[in-house]
Amino acid sequence: MSTTKTLSLWVAYGTNGVVGSIRHDDGGYTVVMAGADAATGTYPNLESAKGALHSHMLPGSGWPMFREH
């Protein structure tokens, strides 16, 4: 059995509330959209994860506000 320790967590807020999150652990930066059953993907750095999260929002959505928790 293995465990993964989350090093950091960012929550992304759009105009209508939470749109997703980014979890940083030993494997990279994992994007999960709000209400999704599975991760969208894992990325090598925070900036690429933020871009990926934004690209999965509705077309025309503004850049979300990211808050570290």
Side-chain angles (χ1 to χ4, degrees), residues 1-68:
M1 173 181 252
S2 66
T3 60
T4 302
K5 180 180 178 187
T6 298
L7 303 173
S8 299
L9 174 70
W10 290 265
V11 176
Y13 297 89
T15 56
N16 294 321
V18 174
V19 295
S21 64
I22 300 171
R23 183 184 70 247
H24 177 218
D25 57 32
D26 294 335
Y29 295 82
T30 302
V31 174
V32 178
M33 300 306 293
D37 293 331
T40 300
T42 301
Y43 303 89
N45 58 56
L46 180 58
E47 292 309 310
S48 61
K50 286 179 176 181
L53 186 146
H54 182 244
S55 74
H56 282 86
M57 293 172 61
L58 292 174
S61 295
W63 189 261
M65 177 178 18
F66 293 92
R67 291 190 185 154
E68 187 173 3

